[in-house]
């Protein structure tokens, strides 16, 4: 048996005053078809006391429940192939100024630019220097254990928390060309990678779509709806067609956590999933 899973990052949200949500507003004929004949469940992906986010929820979905907050810097380092030598630490810093970067370099930290949304990763020994008030330093945490997964699990994602968590947990990670984790990501490339993994005999294939969460963080309600609709058209539809011709494969679609475009903040309520097979 093989299992295909599509994770729509941040796709849920608390209902507005009129009861609407991005999922309800989006035109999703493929997802609707799955829901009509599939099994719908709610999954609790954020344990009590842990921060709501992909660094928590994606490991839970993959099979490891963190007992404490996860180290986001370790995930970014793994996702970007940045080595963290013994005796050093990785620190994720958002909003660093030029003076901050110079101070980090002067105190022995190697600084790696991630992207506009993820800021910088600093690798070095000892304590951080004093930084400006605009710099947000992410707290340290647990590094996911190796060996939870193996190469029979394939995770298709952009470079970021999802691919970093999957890498550390032991899955085979595929980052297709054009995968950005934002609304400009190449969804067709992710689908092609998933179908190739299915033909190669992978038993579990997880496609992570970060665009709904990215749009919600920017407070762009229409972009979030469009991101869900694009995933329905370019990911869920082709995968449903592929699974429909196989008796040994299932397809599941759901969110890892919510993100409210009205506030830009994550939401930790249980998230809907639909499981379907021919």
């Amino acid at each position: 048996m093989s299992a295909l899973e599509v994770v729509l990052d941040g796709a849920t949200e608390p209902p507005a005053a009129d009861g609407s949500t991005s999922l309800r507003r989006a035109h999703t004929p493929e997802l609707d078809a799955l829901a009509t004949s599939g099994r719908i469940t709610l999954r609790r992906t954020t344990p009590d006391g842990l921060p709501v986010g992909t660094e928590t929820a994606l490991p839970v979905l993959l099979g490891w429940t963190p007992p404490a907050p996860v180290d986001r810097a370790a995930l970014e380092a793994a996702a970007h192939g940045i080595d963290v030598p013994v005796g050093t630490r990785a620190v994720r810093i958002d909003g660093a100024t030029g003076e901050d970067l110079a101070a980090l370099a002067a105190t022995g930290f190697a600084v790696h630019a991630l992207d506009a949304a993820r800021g910088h990763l600093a690798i070095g020994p000892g304590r951080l220097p004093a930084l400006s008030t605009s710099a947000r330093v992410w707290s340290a945490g647990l590094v996911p254990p190796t060996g939870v997964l193996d190469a029979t699990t394939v995770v298709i994602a952009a470079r970021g928390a999802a691919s970093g968590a999957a890498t550390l947990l032991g899955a085979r990670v595929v980052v297709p060309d054009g995968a950005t984790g934002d609304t400009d990501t190449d969804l067709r490339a992710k689908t092609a990678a998933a179908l190739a993994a299915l033909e190669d005999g992978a038993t579990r294939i997880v496609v992570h779509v970060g665009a709904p969460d990215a749009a919600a963080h920017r407070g762009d309600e229409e972009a979030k709806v469009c991101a869900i609709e694009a995933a329905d058209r370019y990911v869920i539809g082709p995968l449903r067609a592929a699974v429909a011709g196989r008796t040994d494969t299932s397809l599941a679609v759901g969110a890892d956590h919510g993100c409210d475009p009205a506030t830009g903040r994550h939401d930790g309520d249980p998230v809907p999933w639909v499981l379907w097979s021919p």
Side-chain angles (χ1 to χ4, degrees):
M1 290 290 294
S2 295
L4 282 163
E5 301 168 35
V6 180
V7 180
L8 302 176
D9 197 319
T12 59
E13 67 207 48
D18 63 358
S20 66
T21 67
S22 298
L23 272 172
R24 289 173 181 167
R25 291 173 56 205
H27 177 62
T28 55
E30 300 293 343
L31 184 55
D32 294 346
L34 296 181
T36 298
S37 57
R39 181 167 59 90
I40 300 173
T41 63
L42 285 175
R43 294 187 182 181
R44 184 169 174 266
T45 59
T46 304
D48 290 341
L50 296 190
V52 183
T54 301
E55 68 273 15
T56 301
L58 203 281
V60 169
L61 290 174
L62 291 177
W64 176 65
T65 300
V70 175
D71 194 321
R72 186 61 181 262
L75 303 191
E76 296 289 357
H80 290 83
I82 298 172
D83 185 41
V84 183
V86 175
T88 65
R89 58 187 292 219
V91 183
R92 177 176 161 180
I93 304 170
D94 296 349
T97 65
E99 290 78 9
D100 292 330
L101 301 181
L104 288 163
T107 51
F109 281 86
V111 181
H112 304 265
L114 300 175
D115 58 37
R118 293 183 175 86
H120 294 80
L121 197 67
I123 311 292
R127 297 176 59 185
L128 292 173
L131 301 175
S132 67
T133 56
S134 69
R136 176 197 176 190
V137 178
W138 288 62
S139 299
L142 288 178
V143 178
T146 59
V148 174
L149 305 172
D150 58 31
T152 61
T153 295
V154 178
V155 175
I156 299 160
R159 299 194 187 281
S163 59
T167 297
L168 291 172
L169 290 170
R172 179 162 68 90
V173 175
V174 177
V175 181
D177 291 340
T180 67
D182 211 324
T183 53
D184 62 347
T185 196
D186 190 340
L187 294 176
R188 292 182 179 90
K190 288 187 175 183
T191 298
L195 295 175
L198 184 61
E199 292 303 316
D200 287 344
T203 58
R204 186 183 185 193
I205 302 154
V206 180
V207 183
H208 177 264
V209 179
D213 189 62
H217 279 306
R218 290 194 291 268
D220 193 333
E221 297 180 9
E222 291 306 315
K224 181 175 180 180
V225 170
C226 290
I228 294 170
E229 291 178 343
D232 189 73
R233 182 180 305 114
Y234 299 119
V235 181
I236 299 171
L239 295 184
R240 183 169 81 95
V243 172
R246 306 171 65 108
T247 59
D248 61 346
T249 307
S250 62
L251 174 61
V253 182
D256 57 348
H257 58 76
C259 191
D260 191 347
T263 63
R265 293 195 296 268
H266 283 162
D267 174 70
D269 284 347
V271 290
W273 275 77
V274 56
L275 176 64
W276 178 86
S277 67

